Amino acid sequence: MEGSLPLRVVQLTKTFSGSSDFITVLQGIEYSFSRQKTYAITGASGSGKSTFIHILGGLDQPTTGTVMLGNVSVSSLTAQERALKIGLVFQYPYLIKEISVLENIMITAIIAGDSWSDAQRKALELLKRVGLAAMGSWEVGRLSGGQKQRVALARALITKPEFLLADELTGSLDHETGLEVMELVLSCVKEWQMGLIISTHNPEIARMMQLVFSLKDGILIATES
Ligand SMILES: Nc1ncnc2c1ncn2[C@@H]1O[C@H](COP(=O)(O)OP(=O)(O)OP(=O)(O)O)[C@@H](O)[C@H]1O
Ligand SMILES: [Mg+2]
């Protein structure tokens, strides 16, 4: 089945160049992420978690190596293909203030090629799924931090992507709200059979994943969970 193909990282390195020096953040990562599993990426601040997630999602290019989604290089995906296959969420929701909650969720479906009415129908479903059914017409500014993350999650999930990549999704939420958002993420991931890769500083959230890795010295190390 085409949909079960892994997200495969092949000899990935990433070096940033400053004005007078270079910093190599990723030193040759080799791994295959399965759609049937959930993964945590932990590691000290500056260890490269965000860099890694961004490259996995095609938001940044590796210096050497490739990220393959099935047989296709992630960096060669069009915006439309990426919207269909990879969902992304971050520490901050990055919602657009000028449009409604519902329209924020619709954006990914529109990029993926849906008509306005299909995108609207799917966004309403997702809004319900994340527990915000009554808030579609609201301005984004009226939402709490946890509600905004639910909207960002709905926006990432509206195309039922193959993988959901989450960079510190709960990093700016209080403990309880963070756990609620994680429960929601895990139930959606299970329901739609997506692979999940989440970076986190929080050991409790890391332990909610089936496999836990630590990024250290640019290498991905499996840790006991
Ligand atoms: N665009 C960039 N240009 C130069 N250096 C960068 C750039 N992006 C990241 N870096 C450097 O790469 C290293 C890894 O950064 P990254 O943000 O991936 O770490 P992180 O593990 O996500 O940290 P945190 O836990 O604080 O979010 C840091 O030393 C950072 O300064
Ligand atoms: Mg980071």
Side-chain angles (χ1 to χ4, degrees):
M1 189 175 92
E2 196 229 344
S4 320
L5 293 171
L7 186 61
R8 198 157 50 89
V9 177
V10 186
Q11 299 196 345
L12 184 82
T13 74
K14 181 66 178 179
T15 300
F16 289 111
S17 51
S19 49
S20 59
D21 58 350
F22 295 93
I23 164 173
T24 296
V25 180
L26 306 176
Q27 300 265 14
I29 298 181
E30 191 90 31
Y31 194 72
S32 186
F33 295 96
S34 156
R35 262 186 83 174
Q36 277 76 42
K37 291 225 159 68
T38 58
Y39 303 87
I41 311 284
T42 65
S45 195
S47 60
K49 302 180 297 297
S50 295
T51 303
F52 186 52
I53 299 264
H54 291 170
I55 293 174
L56 284 178
L59 298 182
D60 197 1
Q61 303 294 325
T63 303
T64 64
T66 48
V67 180
M68 303 294 290
L69 183 56
N71 300 319
V72 185
S73 162
V74 162
S75 60
S76 74
L77 296 174
T78 62
Q80 179 173 17
E81 289 166 336
R82 226 177 31 216
L84 279 168
K85 289 169 187 282
I86 300 174
L88 282 155
V89 275
F90 306 94
Q91 179 171 0
Y92 300 101
Y94 301 117
L95 303 178
I96 300 172
K97 286 199 293 269
E98 289 76 11
I99 60 178
S100 70
V101 165
L102 194 74
E103 287 162 347
N104 267 277
I105 299 173
M106 288 167 62
I107 284 176
T108 321
I110 298 284
I111 294 170
D114 278 353
S115 67
W116 188 266
S117 59
D118 281 350
Q120 208 167 33
R121 180 180 47 76
K122 290 181 189 174
L124 281 166
E125 254 172 54
L126 256 293
L127 200 59
K128 218 184 288 172
R129 185 66 182 81
V130 301
L132 303 176
M135 298 168 194
S137 62
W138 284 25
E139 280 179 23
V140 165
R142 284 178 66 189
L143 300 175
S144 70
Q147 288 169 335
K148 284 181 183 154
Q149 280 299 47
R150 285 168 185 262
V151 173
L153 189 62
R155 180 183 57 193
L157 296 180
I158 189 167
T159 60
K160 315 254 165 85
E162 296 175 16
F163 280 88
L164 179 66
L165 310 180
D167 189 20
E168 306 250 16
L169 174 61
T170 61
S172 36
L173 302 177
D174 65 65
H175 180 77
E176 197 172 323
T177 308
L179 291 182
E180 279 168 18
V181 167
M182 282 313 301
E183 294 293 348
L184 178 63
V185 169
L186 285 170
S187 72
C188 291
V189 159
K190 197 167 173 200
E191 186 174 331
W192 295 317
Q193 291 160 27
M194 291 178 261
L196 172 66
I197 305 169
I198 180 163
S199 78
T200 183
H201 281 283
N202 182 334
E204 190 178 354
I205 286 173
R207 280 194 301 271
M208 293 168 87
M209 302 300 123
Q210 290 166 315
L211 289 157
V212 180
F213 288 92
S214 173
L215 250 181
K216 190 157 188 287
D217 301 327
I219 301 290
L220 210 50
I221 302 161
T223 63
E224 298 293 328
S225 64

